[in-house]
Amino acid sequence: MAEREKGPAFRQVVLDCVDARVLAEFYRRLLVWNYRPGDEPPRPGAEDKDWLVLRNPDGGAQLAFQQVDRLEEASWPDSGPVPQQLHLDLTVDSVEELEAQHARVLELGGRLRLDRSDDPEEPLRVYADPAGHPFCIFVA
């Protein structure tokens, strides 16, 4: 059997945002992940970082947040001037869990962009995070 060619290892997805802490906190609470050591919120009055990383406690890929001066919100899934460019896919095991996560997303500051939760083949919802990045939660 021929040896498989090896490529670079996948490390993380990086999201641009105008407030790295706000977006990192949204995903930290939604995914129930942890800050990389040293990226926890600073003491009151201390300057915050403009690059933060969240780690999955089960291992694997990370999610990073890079602060930028301005960022246009993606218009996807609606047609519009700003394409999605990238979105995150998150999965749950059941329609009941999809409903529970819907309430959490809204509570954490996400916004519903498209609701196909009644789709018999692949129930899903598309959201925008607080920075306007689209992400999907669907039943897998």
Side-chain angles (χ1 to χ4, degrees):
M1 179 177 210
E3 189 173 317
R4 182 179 167 270
E5 182 178 354
K6 184 176 180 182
F10 182 82
R11 175 77 174 173
Q12 63 195 3
V13 171
V14 180
L15 297 174
D16 285 353
C17 47
V18 295
D19 190 327
R21 181 63 62 191
V22 166
L23 197 58
E25 272 298 297
F26 173 81
Y27 281 106
R28 183 189 68 77
R29 293 179 63 203
L30 179 66
L31 300 172
V32 193
W33 284 12
N34 304 314
Y35 283 109
R36 172 182 65 181
D39 284 351
E40 299 85 359
R43 310 180 310 281
E47 190 171 325
D48 206 353
K49 295 180 172 184
D50 59 3
W51 176 271
L52 301 168
V53 176
L54 292 177
R55 291 183 170 164
N56 181 337
D58 298 326
Q62 303 179 142
L63 193 55
F65 307 88
Q66 173 176 264
Q67 193 150 323
V68 296
D69 291 333
R70 66 180 190 79
L71 181 70
E72 289 190 63
E73 183 173 334
S75 49
W76 182 83
D78 299 325
S79 60
V82 183
Q84 68 170 319
Q85 299 178 22
L86 169 132
H87 76 269
L88 303 176
D89 277 344
L90 309 175
T91 62
V92 294
D93 294 331
S94 67
V95 172
E96 294 77 23
E97 184 63 16
L98 182 63
E99 292 305 316
Q101 293 304 320
H102 174 69
R104 286 190 66 235
V105 168
L106 299 180
E107 177 185 316
L108 294 171
R111 292 170 283 129
L112 182 64
R113 298 293 305 268
L114 176 70
D115 187 345
R116 284 194 3 219
S117 57
D118 59 353
D119 184 319
E121 298 293 317
E122 186 178 59
L124 69 89
R125 288 192 175 103
V126 178
Y127 299 93
D129 68 24
H133 300 105
F135 67 96
C136 299
I137 301 179
F138 61 94
V139 178

